[in-house]
Amino acid sequence: TQLLEQSPQFLSIQEGENLTVYCNSSSVFSSLQWYRQEPGEGPVLLVTVVTGGEVKKLKRLTFQFGDARKDSSLHITAAQTGDTGLYLCAGAGGDYGQNFVFGPGTRLSVLP
Amino acid sequence: GAGVSQSPSNKVTEKGKDVELRCDPISGHTALYWYRQSLGQGLEFLIYFQGNSAPDKSGLPSDRFSAERTGGSVSTLTIQRTQQEDSAVYLCASSLAYWAGQETQYFGPGTRLLVL
């Protein structure tokens, strides 16, 4: 069974601070996605990483896929209150990558 | 429509009753997913439809759960003889095409199910 762990579970920081959240597994995934979910809404895709060692930047967000494709990190620079939400990582599993395994999420609160 | 829609948005039912949850995917999307999200947890994969292929039901937790997709569009998730542990948010997502885990899934707002 493929499982994803995320850390920290909760994170509360002041606006302007930097932070990193982690997504780890003992399994290899063909791709990994990061989502952000706000209360009462479904998750929204932020990025998909495919290649081991890949780094993708999306404005103040930097995503990295581990060389062995078992882990990933999300780094946010100069956090803003609008970054508040639940950050979920999801690995493509199943025989053909059709099943997405989600981690439990990191709940981020950015305080003004 | 503009996005994935789900109905009802909230459902309260009594233990032992059957419930039906509906998902309207984005027009033209061939792939459709159902997930369950319990309070404070991540998403649990339930079932996946791709075009006219047989659905991947490997995530359904018991035979009380079933889903169908009519005409390759609207999907209904049915839970029979509901139990209190079925209480959760049920999320539906659709994507344009299946691409080995790299496709963008668009999620609906979910149906919040409470079993008393």
Side-chain angles (χ1 to χ4, degrees):
Chain A
T1 302
Q2 294 177 305
L3 294 173
L4 280 167
E5 298 178 345
Q6 291 189 244
S7 61
Q9 186 177 0
F10 298 97
L11 184 58
S12 181
I13 62 170
Q14 295 294 132
E15 198 169 25
E17 293 183 355
N18 302 331
L19 67 114
T20 302
V21 297
Y22 300 92
C23 174
N24 297 286
S25 176
S26 58
S27 303
V28 175
F29 290 95
S30 58
S31 65
L32 197 138
Q33 298 182 325
W34 283 93
Y35 292 81
R36 185 173 75 201
Q37 184 178 24
E38 298 190 24
E41 299 181 6
V44 175
L45 180 67
L46 296 174
V47 76
T48 300
V49 286
V50 179
T51 306
E54 182 177 4
V55 177
K56 280 192 174 179
K57 292 192 175 184
L58 185 68
K59 297 184 179 179
R60 295 177 293 101
L61 278 60
T62 302
F63 304 85
Q64 185 163 7
F65 200 13
D67 291 341
R69 291 186 287 128
K70 293 182 178 181
D71 56 87
S72 181
S73 64
L74 159 60
H75 181 79
I76 301 179
T77 303
Q80 299 176 357
T81 56
D83 296 327
T84 294
L86 179 67
Y87 288 81
L88 296 158
C89 65
D95 294 336
Y96 309 104
Q98 77 276 22
N99 298 350
F100 286 89
V101 177
F102 278 79
T106 292
R107 193 165 297 279
L108 172 65
S109 294
V110 181
L111 307 174
Chain B
V4 178
S5 60
Q6 292 186 245
S7 61
S9 54
N10 294 281
K11 177 71 177 179
V12 181
T13 190
E14 293 180 347
K15 178 181 173 181
K17 295 284 182 67
D18 298 350
V19 295
E20 285 190 354
L21 312 179
R22 177 187 169 105
C23 172
D24 284 85
I26 293 174
S27 178
H29 280 194
T30 60
L32 187 146
Y33 307 77
W34 281 98
Y35 295 89
R36 178 169 69 176
Q37 185 174 31
S38 300
L39 188 63
Q41 303 293 317
L43 277 66
E44 175 189 4
F45 166 79
L46 297 177
I47 189 169
Y48 163 76
F49 296 89
Q50 171 58 43
N52 296 320
S53 302
D56 180 343
K57 304 178 181 180
S58 60
L60 294 178
S62 78
D63 58 9
R64 295 187 296 105
F65 288 72
S66 63
E68 63 178 20
R69 189 178 185 191
T70 55
S73 181
V74 172
S75 178
T76 302
L77 176 69
T78 301
I79 309 174
Q80 296 179 311
R81 304 180 303 281
T82 52
Q83 303 293 313
Q84 289 179 333
E85 59 263 30
D86 298 334
S87 297
V89 176
Y90 289 82
L91 291 158
C92 173
S94 70
S95 64
L96 184 59
Y98 161 67
W99 190 34
Q102 298 178 37
E103 64 273 26
T104 298
Q105 294 182 69
Y106 296 86
F107 283 83
T111 293
R112 282 146 194 81
L113 175 65
L114 177 61
V115 182
L116 301 177

